[in-house]
Amino acid sequence: MQTTLGTPTASAVIFFLVIVALTLSVTYWAARRTRSTREFYAAGRSISPLQNGLALAGDYMSAASFLGIAGLVALRGYDGMIYATGWLVGWPALMFLIAEPLRNLGKFTFADVVAFRLRQAPVRIASAFGAILTLLFYVLAQMVGAGNLIRLMFGLPYEWAVVSVGVVMLAYVLFGGMLATTWVQIIKAILLLFGVSLLTLLLLWRFQFSPGALYAAVAARYGQAALEPGGLVSDPVDAISLGLALMLGLLGLPHILMRFYTVPDARAARGSVLYATGFIAYFYLIIPLVGFGAAALVGRDLIRSIDPGGNMAAPLLAELVGGTPFLGFVAAVAFATILAVVAGLTLAGASALSHDIFTHAIRNGHATEHEQIRVARAATIVFGAVAVALGIVFKGQNVAFMVGLAFAVACSANFPPLLMSIVWRRFNTAGAVCSIVSGALLSVTLILLSPTVWVDLMHHHSAIFPLRNPAIVSMPVSFLFGIAASLLTREPEAELRFDDEKLRTYLGVGAE
């Protein structure tokens, strides 16, 4: 197969420019309507459940989902689908466990919920630490995907490609805030669902619309092993650990949890999750077909030669089944996907720095609207610069795999204290801080000592920690530290306020 990847084409340039122009015009429109912190962080709580469901889906269907899962399935076969199923099954838990309490108790960040009845400063500092660690791992994957995509589509050096993405993304967040980010996500979600659906139809047309014929072609080319478990995760404990991270990590992702504050009330928050689950389920059901199609029609050797991590499998398949113009469209949609997700991540990181640390931990909740927005925009620039630097350092990694690590940090550092603060009266400030810090530090440390970093990046002979995903160890430790610290110390005021919290959780009394 001959490919135009690596050389600029007219169709790619046109589609890129149209999408960037469209999203920047949305940002200009939103900037004229973003004046207060409520508008900057939560779009004035004016987003409908359907709109927020599409935006949630847009936030979640990232470069890792589109480029990464397709690449993993193409190169590793059946096991790549672990990511598709794992990222889907957390949504019912989010709807029934977290969505309503989060909307009723919080204001702008998930730390509002954890700190609702606890001492503000220590809990918010710890929560911001856990949130920013999670977001950095997540944004790292998006920047790597963006760098590879722009480099191959326009022939730009990888480093300049990453910088260009950072600049456009900063424009969204700095000027348009959550309103711009939400509408960019909605546009991106519609384009991505349309693009992947069309790609799947063109692929299945090659096999007379028979998935069985597609799988038979994969087996004929790579053997039956390509359709059986063991290609990516051979250790059952590692598989369980990865599954836990992908399912429960969703309940600790700051940029997803932040979306529940953009709707008017808890009922709308639940409706948002219902819509999002439908869109996401459809997407994750068909994206493995794209991966298998790339393996059968494009071939693993060509996919690896273009990008060792396999992230260009979907664009290569698009070019094969739809020609250069369709490649241009799919690549432009992937670029919009990355821009929108990075914008959401950056906004969540900026809100943790400005709302949790500056406004509540430093100024004790007494900062003016002007000060808060000024600090939020400064924090946006800092977070964006760090994201660009990390994207350059981690060149060449598979983006789905790296987001799996972000989910491990989220389910270890953020999910345990969030859940315990909602359901357990005895939970207190010491428990929250110990849970967040232990989960964050242990998950990151074990990732650094795992084969992912210790062997693959640092080229040591063997890893100190054997599992590639640490969630099965770090998440229980976070719960244990939170429980132990809460039992060893008493905080009578936090226990007394638990009834007020329950009232607001279930009835929405006093919710903003």
Side-chain angles (χ1 to χ4, degrees):
M1 171 187 168
Q2 296 294 316
T3 179
T4 58
L5 274 176
T7 56
T9 61
S11 58
V13 172
I14 291 167
F15 280 123
F16 267 79
L17 292 178
V18 167
I19 286 178
V20 170
L22 177 63
T23 52
L24 286 177
S25 64
V26 168
T27 303
Y28 174 73
W29 165 79
R32 299 177 65 185
R33 290 159 175 77
T34 300
R35 295 288 179 267
S36 67
T37 51
R38 195 166 180 257
E39 289 160 344
F40 187 83
Y41 291 129
R45 312 205 197 286
S46 62
I47 307 300
S48 73
L50 176 58
Q51 290 167 349
N52 201 44
L54 270 170
L56 276 165
D59 248 331
Y60 205 63
M61 297 183 305
S62 63
S65 304
F66 181 39
L67 302 177
I69 292 176
L72 278 176
V73 172
L75 297 183
R76 302 298 187 94
Y78 177 91
D79 278 7
M81 293 197 294
I82 293 175
Y83 285 86
T85 52
W87 277 331
L88 173 60
V89 294
W91 283 89
L94 182 66
M95 180 161 69
F96 293 117
L97 274 180
I98 299 295
E100 188 171 353
L102 198 77
R103 178 62 190 85
N104 283 337
L105 293 173
K107 186 176 181 183
F108 296 137
T109 67
F110 84 93
D112 292 331
V113 179
V114 182
F116 182 82
R117 59 191 174 90
L118 309 179
R119 296 200 303 277
Q120 296 289 309
V123 173
R124 287 187 181 275
I125 291 169
S127 296
F129 173 66
I132 288 167
L133 264 183
T134 305
L135 293 165
L136 285 175
F137 269 95
Y138 208 112
V139 80
L140 164 60
Q142 311 306 317
M143 299 306 276
V144 169
N148 283 326
L149 195 64
I150 304 299
R151 173 178 63 85
L152 289 169
M153 293 309 299
F154 295 114
L156 277 177
Y158 174 86
E159 291 74 15
W160 282 109
V162 171
V163 170
S164 66
V165 171
V167 170
V168 178
M169 168 271 297
L170 282 174
Y172 294 159
V173 181
L174 284 174
F175 302 112
M178 179 57 90
L179 188 60
T181 303
T182 297
W183 278 101
V184 168
Q185 293 287 18
I186 290 169
I187 292 167
K188 184 252 356 212
I190 293 168
L191 287 173
L192 183 60
L193 288 168
F194 171 75
V196 174
S197 298
L198 184 56
L199 177 57
T200 306
L201 285 173
L202 290 171
L203 164 66
L204 290 175
W205 181 70
R206 293 283 185 111
F207 294 95
Q208 292 75 50
F209 294 95
S210 169
L214 167 60
Y215 298 141
V218 174
R221 190 162 182 177
Y222 299 106
Q224 187 64 24
L227 304 176
E228 295 174 352
L232 178 65
V233 183
S234 54
D235 181 354
V237 178
D238 218 345
I240 294 169
S241 187
L242 175 60
L244 281 173
L246 299 181
M247 183 174 77
L248 297 177
L250 167 64
L251 282 68
L253 290 179
H255 67 298
I256 296 293
L257 301 180
M258 195 177 177
R259 288 231 151 265
F260 294 112
Y261 303 125
T262 65
V263 292
D265 51 38
R267 182 179 180 183
R270 291 195 305 273
S272 300
V273 181
L274 195 60
Y275 283 119
T277 304
F279 295 128
I280 291 163
Y282 169 73
F283 177 80
Y284 283 134
L285 280 172
I286 62 174
I287 202 66
L289 291 173
V290 173
F292 281 122
L297 298 178
V298 178
R300 291 177 176 176
D301 292 340
L302 179 58
I303 293 169
R304 283 197 184 95
S305 70
I306 297 292
D307 176 58
N311 298 312
M312 292 300 111
L316 284 167
L317 179 65
E319 184 178 25
L320 180 67
V321 298
T324 303
F326 190 46
L327 167 64
F329 174 74
V330 166
V333 169
F335 179 64
T337 297
I338 291 164
L339 279 178
V341 173
V342 170
L345 293 166
T346 304
L347 186 59
S351 67
L353 290 168
S354 57
H355 178 66
D356 294 327
I357 292 183
F358 174 75
T359 303
H360 285 90
I362 296 175
R363 298 296 294 274
N364 295 315
H366 299 304
T368 66
E369 292 266 324
H370 177 71
E371 284 177 324
Q372 290 182 57
I373 291 182
R374 192 179 73 235
V375 171
R377 286 181 168 144
T380 298
I381 294 170
V382 171
F383 190 89
V386 173
V388 168
L390 287 173
I392 291 170
V393 170
F394 281 83
K395 177 180 178 180
Q397 295 294 304
N398 179 277
V399 292
F401 187 75
M402 286 191 293
V403 169
L405 300 181
F407 274 66
V409 179
C411 82
S412 304
N414 304 334
F415 167 61
L418 183 60
L419 181 65
M420 288 190 285
S421 71
I422 294 169
V423 302
W424 189 29
R425 181 187 298 271
R426 185 71 182 268
F427 192 63
N428 59 26
T429 302
V433 172
C434 289
S435 176
I436 295 167
V437 173
S438 64
L441 292 180
L442 184 60
S443 58
V444 172
T445 301
L446 294 181
I447 287 169
L448 293 175
L449 300 178
S450 74
T452 308
V453 175
W454 200 253
V455 177
D456 297 350
L457 285 181
M458 299 174 69
H459 306 296
H460 292 284
H461 291 296
S462 60
I464 297 171
F465 179 70
L467 303 179
R468 286 187 172 271
N469 196 295
I472 199 169
V473 175
S474 53
M475 186 177 70
V477 166
S478 177
F479 272 110
L480 286 173
F481 270 68
I483 292 167
S486 296
L487 292 175
L488 290 171
T489 59
R490 295 298 294 264
E491 195 173 334
E493 187 180 345
E495 293 175 33
L496 284 172
R497 292 198 66 197
F498 183 70
D499 291 324
D500 294 336
E501 184 181 279
K502 280 181 71 175
L503 190 68
R504 183 155 156 179
T505 296
Y506 296 115
L507 299 181
V509 177
E512 295 194 30

